[in-house]
Amino acid sequence: MFTFIIMKVLQFPLARITIGFVAGILVAYYFKPTVSFVFSLLFVVGCAFIIAFFVSKKTAVNPIYFGLTTYFLAFAIGASTQVIHTDSFQSTNYIYAKAVFEEPHSVSVTIREKLRSSSFNDRYVVLVNQIDGVVKSGRLLLNVRKDSLNHPFEIGNHLQIKGSLYQNGPAKNPNQFDYGKYLEGKQIYAQMYADASEIKTGTIIQKDVWYYTSKLRTKIIRNLEKSNFNKAELNVAIALILGQQQDISPEIIKDYQYAGAVHILSVSGLHIGFILLFVTFLLKPFPNTRRGSFIKLIIILLSLSLFGLIAGLAPSVLRSVTMFSFVAIGMYLRRSTNIFHTLLVSMLLILLFQPSFLFDVGFQLSYLALFFILWLQPFLAQIWTPKNKIAHYFWEILTVSLAAQIGTLPLSIYYFHQFPGLFFVTNLVIIPFLSMIMGLGVLVMVLAAFDFVPLFLVKSLEWSIYFLNKIINSIASLEQFIFRDIPFNWQLMVGLYLLIISTIIWFKKPSFKRLVLVLIGVLICQIAYFETLWTIENQRELVIFNSKNNTMIAEREGADITLYANDILLKTVSKNNTLASYSMGNFSSFKFKKRLRNLIYFNGNKILVVDSLGVYPMDIRPDIVVFTQSPKINFERFLQTIKPKMVVADASNFKTIQKLWKATCLKEKITFHATGEKGFYRLD
């Protein structure tokens, strides 16, 4: 059945074109070809396509070379689209400005988006206009330090900032979330830090679509605040309806994550699908004539587009709006549109305008969830056919939830290394409840946009969200059903997907050949698992972590880790996120915990640790010296006496001292590694 679906989908020309287009994006992203090479390829393939087109017109049946040139053209367009939409390829991008990361500059920017604030900073995505009076382009992450006066900036504000740009760095500890790579995926290559008092706000405001949608959201929120809408519930309502999660408390987000319901806080297909049903219901009085149907289609498309704009055009919103717009068009044309074709067309259009979405986790999870719902859910629904309407409704919810969870399980574990065991309970309880909240929420938001906020509706929405949060909190509190810190790599992910797909194929239509596919899937999973274990068992390394408060050194031999640290840290290893990420990423565990000592021997290397006391043996000749807690010593004399091959300074040392040490090591021609600057140090 699966093979039949794949073959049927591949017969659709746009399906093969989409595959070629996506392949072009992937090749351009990972291999980073030059701009001249990509556009030369596009020109050559384009010429070949034109020649093949005119030659094929003379034959009754399209020759194979016409199809091949079409797919190569799709590949070249995909690669060129990725290059065009990658800011780092633009010659005007700020990363090419002279000494941009070496000295302070006067930077003119425009605020595009407000992000979630951190403990110390308000954060904004800004567009660069000029640097030192020279026209530049690109995106920056602006961090404005919080103060007692609180100076929030609005979307569209022009700002003049005098400060330094800091380039994104790699993850500072092994297996840690790479925030720099994440920002790069968002076309943000640097950050700025500034006090509000150091920023000059321009009188001109850039009034584009982002400005007006932001003003509309602000107007809605302020009207709801005036009606004494409780702050915690209001923030959840804003996330559910307007797609803005910036002000939700970390505790509430954590509850939704543990309950397996965090997807409802991000506007996605669930929300857009409801908007489509809601607007279609409101338009029922319209006649089903050709003209009436066309007017309904226009209203539906405008409603979906307006909702997408208000929700900020996030990847999940854009994907869902595009997808359901095609569904609405299919309804208007009264054709049995193949939904798999619709998925591919929506994907092609989205990636054509924003190819970076392909690497967005939410985008990947959304399409996988949709595919498995469409492919697997009908099969699951046939297992039991309840006669009772209420039982049938909840069975539909359960099968949809289960299909989506099965489809996204390997990718979710790969990215997040956790799995909410009670996800099916959460969906059974909240989806019916959420339908009511969405309907009420949309009505309240629309009325608030027109400065009309009926108190009974506001309080109904507030109490509904209050009870929703209570339900989520109750489910999340059952922590024994939350599986965390699951070791998983891409090989296991691929193997598990092959096993899941082959098992579904066999269940749909059991046969010996399909059973062989399942056994092959099991074999691939086992090979991936044992290959991972074999690789781990044959590894040996010593890691000096980047930690400001404590010195941590780990010696790993295979799956066994020996940790060197102070007594307090040794007692709380399980609560340390840095150490947990390291052990999980290496399929290992902390077998030995030892108090940090001055001498460590590893793989023929003698490692001397010098702490705040600054005491060390004079006659030792170490290969590596590790400095911690800013010891007060004559550093130049130390190097001349001890003569190490390398010096490592962890993040517990003062930055000013590290700069002096670095200069001295450069003078003495000794390698210097500061974990605060370069990240953790690994010795194999």
Side-chain angles (χ1 to χ4, degrees):
M1 181 67 180
F2 179 76
T3 307
F4 172 74
I5 290 173
I6 291 294
M7 294 304 294
K8 190 174 180 181
V9 170
L10 288 177
Q11 288 174 5
F12 187 51
L14 266 178
R16 287 172 284 183
I17 290 171
T18 301
I19 292 171
F21 183 80
V22 169
I25 293 174
L26 291 171
V27 169
Y29 180 82
Y30 287 108
F31 293 95
K32 294 181 171 45
T34 61
V35 177
S36 58
F37 175 81
V38 169
F39 286 101
S40 297
L41 176 66
L42 180 63
F43 176 77
V44 171
V45 175
C47 291
F49 171 78
I50 293 171
I51 294 170
F53 173 74
F54 284 108
V55 171
S56 65
K57 286 186 71 176
K58 299 178 181 179
T59 59
V61 180
N62 282 339
I64 189 171
Y65 56 77
F66 177 70
L68 289 175
T69 54
T70 302
Y71 306 138
F72 276 117
L73 180 62
F75 175 88
I77 292 174
S80 59
T81 300
Q82 174 64 20
V83 169
I84 290 170
H85 288 88
T86 302
D87 288 352
S88 60
F89 283 110
Q90 311 302 319
S91 59
T92 58
N93 194 272
Y94 61 82
I95 61 174
Y96 300 111
K98 185 178 180 181
V100 68
F101 300 116
E102 298 172 9
E103 56 190 43
H105 299 274
S106 177
V107 184
S108 171
V109 300
T110 302
I111 294 182
R112 167 52 58 87
E113 180 183 357
K114 188 181 188 309
L115 302 179
R116 176 187 295 277
S117 298
S118 66
S119 302
F120 305 103
N121 301 300
D122 289 322
R123 304 188 307 148
Y124 303 88
V125 174
V126 298
L127 304 179
V128 175
N129 301 319
Q130 294 182 340
I131 294 181
D132 296 331
V134 180
V135 175
K136 293 294 177 183
S137 64
R139 293 169 175 252
L140 279 174
L141 180 59
L142 174 62
N143 300 271
V144 182
R145 296 180 185 88
K146 293 180 178 178
D147 59 23
S148 57
L149 297 177
N150 192 12
H151 303 274
F153 298 107
E154 295 185 359
I155 306 299
N157 278 151
H158 283 256
L159 308 178
Q160 192 73 32
I161 311 167
K162 181 71 174 180
S164 298
L165 278 71
Y166 298 92
Q167 193 170 17
N168 299 330
K172 293 299 178 70
N173 282 303
N175 308 117
Q176 198 176 54
F177 173 64
D178 195 336
Y179 189 57
K181 188 176 181 181
Y182 169 79
L183 289 179
E184 186 177 337
K186 303 286 185 183
Q187 310 286 332
I188 299 171
Y189 305 107
Q191 300 187 49
M192 284 192 77
Y193 295 84
D195 292 318
S197 58
E198 299 172 344
I199 299 174
K200 295 180 181 179
T201 306
T203 55
I204 300 175
I205 297 178
Q206 185 172 323
K207 296 184 178 181
D208 53 14
V209 64
W210 307 100
Y211 168 80
Y212 287 109
T213 55
S214 174
K215 293 294 285 186
L216 180 58
R217 286 197 302 267
T218 303
K219 181 181 180 180
I220 293 171
I221 294 168
R222 284 178 180 171
N223 283 334
L224 293 176
E225 287 174 341
K226 289 176 184 177
S227 64
N228 297 318
F229 204 122
N230 185 275
K231 189 67 175 175
E233 282 73 41
L234 176 59
N235 290 335
V236 174
I238 293 168
L240 287 172
I241 313 300
L242 302 181
Q244 305 299 304
Q245 304 180 42
Q246 295 92 330
D247 298 318
I248 301 181
S249 70
E251 292 76 19
I252 291 178
I253 289 181
K254 187 177 179 181
D255 283 345
Y256 276 78
Q257 287 174 338
Y258 285 179
V262 71
H263 59 282
I264 73 172
L265 293 178
S266 175
V267 176
S268 60
L270 181 68
H271 304 72
I272 307 298
F274 175 81
I275 297 295
L276 175 61
L277 293 174
F278 184 67
V279 176
T280 304
F281 173 77
L282 293 178
L283 296 175
K284 269 193 173 182
F286 273 74
N288 285 324
T289 61
R290 185 181 184 90
R291 184 177 180 182
S293 297
F294 182 73
I295 293 173
K296 283 198 288 187
L297 175 64
I298 297 300
I299 294 174
I300 288 171
L301 295 179
L302 288 175
S303 300
L304 294 180
S305 300
L306 180 61
F307 185 83
L309 287 170
I310 294 173
L313 287 180
S316 59
V317 178
L318 188 59
R319 181 267 309 160
S320 301
V321 168
T322 306
M323 170 67 195
F324 283 99
S325 295
F326 272 90
V327 171
I329 293 170
M331 290 163 57
Y332 167 72
L333 295 174
R334 293 184 175 86
R335 294 177 181 174
S336 56
T337 308
N338 187 314
I339 195 65
F340 294 103
H341 297 170
T342 305
L343 273 177
L344 287 170
V345 172
S346 65
M347 180 189 291
L348 179 62
L349 286 176
I350 291 169
L351 296 179
L352 190 62
F353 291 99
Q354 195 57 265
S356 62
F357 282 1
L358 183 62
F359 309 99
D360 183 88
V361 178
F363 182 87
Q364 297 168 10
L365 290 172
S366 294
Y367 268 96
L368 275 171
L370 278 171
F371 173 78
F372 273 85
I373 288 171
L374 296 171
W375 179 48
L376 179 59
Q377 191 273 337
F379 171 74
L380 295 175
Q382 292 173 3
I383 295 174
W384 179 46
T385 308
K387 295 181 180 179
N388 183 282
K389 288 186 177 180
I390 296 176
H392 183 268
Y393 174 71
F394 282 99
W395 176 243
E396 285 286 317
I397 292 175
L398 181 60
T399 54
V400 168
S401 174
L402 190 59
Q405 199 69 50
I406 290 173
T408 57
L409 177 65
L411 194 64
S412 296
I413 297 177
Y414 174 71
Y415 280 123
F416 308 116
H417 299 281
Q418 68 178 29
F419 173 68
L422 294 177
F423 72 90
F424 59 93
V425 176
T426 303
N427 286 314
L428 279 175
V429 174
I430 68 169
I431 287 182
F433 198 31
L434 185 64
S435 300
M436 181 190 72
I437 292 175
M438 283 291 295
L440 185 58
V442 169
L443 179 60
V444 169
M445 299 292 173
V446 170
L447 293 175
F450 292 98
D451 299 318
F452 179 60
V453 189
L455 187 60
F456 76 96
L457 288 179
V458 170
K459 288 304 173 184
S460 298
L461 180 60
E462 181 184 325
W463 278 99
S464 299
I465 294 175
Y466 172 79
F467 284 117
L468 175 66
N469 288 343
K470 284 295 181 183
I471 293 169
I472 294 294
N473 179 259
S474 299
I475 297 173
S477 64
L478 302 172
E479 295 195 15
Q480 63 269 32
F481 294 100
I482 303 166
F483 305 98
R484 283 173 281 193
D485 299 330
I486 304 172
F488 211 65
N489 57 20
W490 71 267
Q491 294 97 323
L492 290 173
M493 180 186 71
V494 171
L496 187 54
Y497 266 121
L498 291 174
L499 178 59
I500 288 172
I501 292 171
S502 60
T503 302
I504 295 171
I505 293 172
W506 179 69
F507 267 117
K508 283 195 168 190
K509 192 175 180 181
S511 67
F512 178 74
K513 289 183 178 179
R514 297 187 178 202
L515 180 60
V516 171
L517 285 178
V518 176
L519 296 176
I520 291 173
V522 172
L523 182 62
I524 291 173
C525 277
Q526 290 179 329
I527 291 172
Y529 179 71
F530 288 113
E531 189 273 336
T532 299
L533 290 185
W534 183 85
T535 302
I536 293 294
E537 285 297 329
N538 286 275
Q539 288 178 344
R540 195 179 179 204
E541 65 181 16
L542 182 136
V543 175
I544 301 169
F545 294 93
N546 176 60
S547 176
K548 292 182 179 180
N549 301 319
N550 299 287
T551 298
M552 300 184 297
I553 301 177
E555 180 183 344
R556 182 173 66 84
E557 187 166 356
D560 298 329
I561 303 174
T562 301
L563 176 65
Y564 299 97
N566 59 40
D567 293 334
I568 297 175
L569 185 60
L570 293 177
K571 295 176 182 177
T572 58
V573 170
S574 60
K575 297 180 181 180
N576 189 292
N577 293 329
T578 300
L579 297 176
S581 297
Y582 176 69
S583 61
M584 177 186 64
N586 290 286
F587 293 74
S588 308
S589 60
F590 290 92
K591 190 173 183 180
F592 304 104
K593 302 170 187 176
K594 298 181 180 180
R595 189 175 183 182
L596 188 64
R597 55 197 188 195
N598 291 111
L599 275 178
I600 300 173
Y601 293 90
F602 175 79
N603 205 21
N605 292 285
K606 190 185 299 181
I607 302 164
L608 173 65
V609 180
V610 182
D611 57 20
S612 58
L613 298 176
V615 177
Y616 59 91
M618 301 293 291
D619 57 346
I620 194 171
R621 292 292 180 270
D623 299 286
I624 300 171
V625 178
V626 180
F627 284 97
T628 72
Q629 308 298 329
S630 305
K632 296 179 180 179
I633 60 173
N634 187 316
F635 190 69
E636 188 172 357
R637 184 189 304 164
F638 172 87
L639 295 181
Q640 293 173 352
T641 304
I642 301 299
K643 297 181 178 174
K645 298 176 183 176
M646 183 171 190
V647 171
V648 178
D650 71 9
S652 66
N653 298 285
F654 296 129
K655 289 184 178 180
T656 51
I657 293 178
Q658 291 186 54
K659 288 182 180 179
L660 295 174
W661 289 347
K662 184 177 181 180
T664 306
C665 284
L666 185 63
K667 178 183 175 183
E668 297 292 330
K669 297 181 180 180
I670 295 174
T671 306
F672 181 79
H673 182 104
T675 63
E677 179 185 352
K678 299 180 180 179
F680 66 96
Y681 175 74
R682 176 186 280 126
L683 180 64
D684 297 320

